[in-house]
Amino acid sequence: MNETPSVQPIRRVGLLFSGGPAPAANAVISAAASAFRRSGRDVLGVRHGYGALMEFDRATRPLVAEQDYHRIVDSDLWGLRGARGVFVGTGRANPGKGVRTARDLDDPARTAPLRRVYDALRDLEVDALVSIGGDDTLRTANLFYEFQRRLPSSAARVRVVHVPKTIDNDYRGIDFTFGFFTAVDVMAQELLNLRADAIATNSYFIVETMGRKAGWLAYGVAVAGEAHLVIAVEDVVGELAIDENVHDPESGVTRTEKRLSLDRLVDRVVDLIVAREARGKHYGTVVLAEGLAELLPEAYLQDVARDDHGHLSLGRIDIGRLVARAASERYAQRTGKTKKLTGVQLGYESRCSPPHAFDVLLGSQLGLGAFYALVDKGLDGHMVSVAGQLDLRYVPFAELIDSTTMRAQARLVVLGSDFHRLATQLGTKVPRP
């Protein structure tokens, strides 16, 4: 492994966004690009994630200006900071798909896509890369960093820093991620609309929010949107949890995993309806984190497609509608009456909504932090973070990535923590047997 790489001064930097959009993405891009340009450096916006970089071949598939990348100029940045969307676009291509362990980094076949990314950036004369994205993109940034550590000492290094992005707010190494509060507000407003509808129609809405690995978003939406019950992945304990033997066809290994008891979840919803009816209230809203779908018994997941990062397409499972149908049937069986329950998915409408001022402030600071990390501090292989009053800090990838799985670990909401109690104490109290 190379410990003394050839470090070149940064004359040109690439900005790359990968994964789902998030409010204030353009604040990060704008602040970073502005800082680099003011220091006399070129800035290239890599279009739509890693896709074109992975396809690069100097002879047969060279990168094409405006199609694959864009040289950012001052006029691009006018009014960009608070704009919707992602200026450079995004994508989900995964150049680290073939790498599962640290040993795989020594396999040229498994690292071939990372090599093409490296060659593409060097062909563009990029000296440093600002990666913006979620935990999968952090994993890719770390793999790109580790791949370069194994290059000959004479090889030029593309230094890399990462800016954390996810509306799910489940990142280790930072308290809140840009876009989280905007997404909470947008979905909470939708939930309040559904609440008014439920009151008018004496019905219930079972609302699925984004939040694959942790409940931050679901809990936030439930509090701000005045839900009567919220269940996230952290709550799958006790009666909501069951053990299931799951067979992995690739490894041939059968292991016992914790799964969600759909039966008990449905009972929990019906218990809520019955308890509220006893108090003269015939309406309500329930928030479920989408990540609950990933914990369903294997029979519900066998035919669901996965993306390049191995994630299930949770939207196709539609756990809100699944629970709504089952709870309606269970309610009829238990009471002999009918009750309208409607499943609704929320999330996509929030990802490119106008960012709140706080998210713009946070995104801008993280974008500037990427500049400071590379230019002022000369860092490589670090994530930009903030603490306190947006005070910048820089976290080594090694502190965020599991050295065995080569994956970033999600930050869950701690059961019984003040944040968890905030979400659970404000809902309807249902007597438990």
Side-chain angles (χ1 to χ4, degrees):
M1 183 180 298
N2 174 30
E3 297 294 343
T4 57
S6 174
V7 178
Q8 299 189 169
I10 297 175
R11 298 185 178 87
R12 175 173 290 171
V13 63
L15 299 180
L16 181 148
F17 193 102
S18 184
N26 286 328
V28 179
I29 294 167
S30 174
S34 177
F36 283 112
R37 283 190 54 74
R38 287 177 178 178
S39 69
R41 293 168 171 86
D42 279 345
V43 182
L44 299 184
V46 179
R47 291 195 181 277
H48 302 292
Y50 282 98
L53 301 182
M54 289 172 59
E55 297 172 355
F56 172 77
D57 182 282
R58 185 173 295 170
T60 62
R61 176 57 173 95
L63 297 181
V64 179
E66 299 311 318
Q67 173 183 302
D68 301 321
Y69 66 92
H70 169 72
R71 184 174 182 271
I72 295 176
V73 297
D74 288 345
S75 58
D76 292 326
L77 307 178
W78 299 342
L80 181 61
R81 193 177 305 156
R84 291 178 171 92
V86 183
F87 177 70
V88 296
T90 187
R92 293 192 179 276
N94 177 14
K97 185 177 181 179
V99 180
R100 297 187 177 182
T101 68
R103 185 179 300 175
D104 291 339
L105 287 164
D106 297 317
D107 183 340
R110 291 186 177 275
T111 60
L114 292 168
R115 162 61 75 175
R116 288 194 293 274
V117 169
Y118 171 80
D119 289 343
L121 292 174
R122 291 307 304 147
D123 192 67
L124 292 176
E125 299 181 345
V126 167
D127 305 304
L129 178 69
V130 176
S131 159
I132 309 166
D135 55 356
D136 289 319
T137 309
L138 169 61
R139 176 181 182 271
T140 300
N142 177 63
L143 292 177
F144 186 56
Y145 167 73
E146 291 292 343
F147 166 79
Q148 292 186 83
R149 291 182 65 196
R150 289 157 171 80
L151 294 176
S153 59
S154 59
R157 173 73 65 88
V158 179
R159 282 192 276 155
V160 57
V161 297
H162 181 75
V163 174
K165 176 278 311 176
T166 175
I167 63 172
D168 292 353
N169 196 47
D170 58 358
Y171 243 102
R172 291 186 183 273
I174 192 169
D175 291 332
F176 292 101
T177 48
F178 71 84
F180 169 70
F181 287 104
T182 302
V184 166
D185 183 63
V186 170
M187 283 185 262
Q189 293 301 316
E190 295 287 347
L191 185 61
L192 289 171
N193 291 340
L194 295 173
R195 182 179 185 274
D197 191 302
I199 293 171
T201 58
N202 273 343
S203 65
Y204 274 76
F205 286 95
I206 313 299
V207 179
E208 174 189 344
T209 69
M210 288 184 171
R212 176 184 295 273
K213 298 177 181 177
W216 297 96
L217 194 57
Y219 294 139
V221 171
V223 171
E226 299 194 38
H228 300 101
L229 173 67
V230 56
I231 302 290
V233 294
E234 291 88 342
D235 300 306
V236 182
V237 295
E239 65 177 9
L240 289 181
I242 57 175
D243 289 333
E244 182 179 53
N245 292 327
V246 179
H247 180 73
D248 184 350
E250 290 189 12
S251 66
V253 175
T254 298
R255 59 187 181 276
T256 300
E257 295 184 355
K258 181 180 75 173
R259 293 300 175 101
L260 169 68
S261 171
L262 183 60
D263 190 62
R264 294 305 299 142
L265 176 58
V266 169
D267 277 341
R268 189 75 66 89
V269 173
V270 176
D271 290 345
L272 171 75
I273 298 172
V274 172
R276 287 181 59 77
E277 286 181 341
R279 302 168 193 173
K281 298 178 180 179
H282 300 275
Y283 66 91
T285 57
V286 175
V287 171
L288 304 176
E290 68 172 355
L292 292 171
E294 208 159 45
L295 296 177
L296 285 169
E298 195 66 16
Y300 291 92
L301 309 178
Q302 289 176 342
D303 298 323
V304 180
R306 294 180 180 268
D307 65 15
D308 267 2
H309 297 277
H311 298 314
L312 288 166
S313 179
L314 298 182
R316 296 187 180 184
I317 299 172
D318 204 342
I319 194 169
R321 285 186 171 87
L322 178 65
V323 171
R325 287 194 301 269
S328 178
E329 294 171 1
R330 183 73 50 84
Y331 175 84
Q333 293 168 1
R334 189 186 298 186
T335 67
K337 300 183 294 184
T338 61
K339 172 63 70 174
K340 181 183 179 184
L341 288 86
T342 304
V344 177
Q345 289 181 318
L346 296 180
Y348 284 101
E349 63 272 41
S350 72
R351 302 193 307 174
C352 287
S353 54
H356 281 195
F358 177 78
D359 284 329
V360 173
L361 284 166
L362 175 57
S364 298
Q365 182 71 310
L366 292 171
L368 281 177
F371 169 80
Y372 297 142
L374 289 167
V375 175
D376 290 356
K377 296 184 176 296
L379 296 177
D380 190 9
H382 281 66
M383 185 183 83
V384 185
S385 181
V386 295
Q389 306 301 307
L390 298 186
D391 297 320
L392 285 164
R393 52 193 293 262
Y394 307 95
V395 186
F397 288 167
E399 295 182 12
L400 303 168
I401 299 292
D402 185 302
S403 60
T404 301
T405 65
M406 302 300 290
R407 290 187 175 277
Q409 300 300 301
R411 176 170 58 96
L412 303 180
V413 177
V414 177
L415 288 179
S417 67
D418 289 339
F419 187 86
H420 186 260
R421 292 169 63 192
L422 169 66
T424 56
Q425 291 298 312
L426 294 180
T428 296
K429 300 302 177 188
V430 179
R432 306 306 305 166

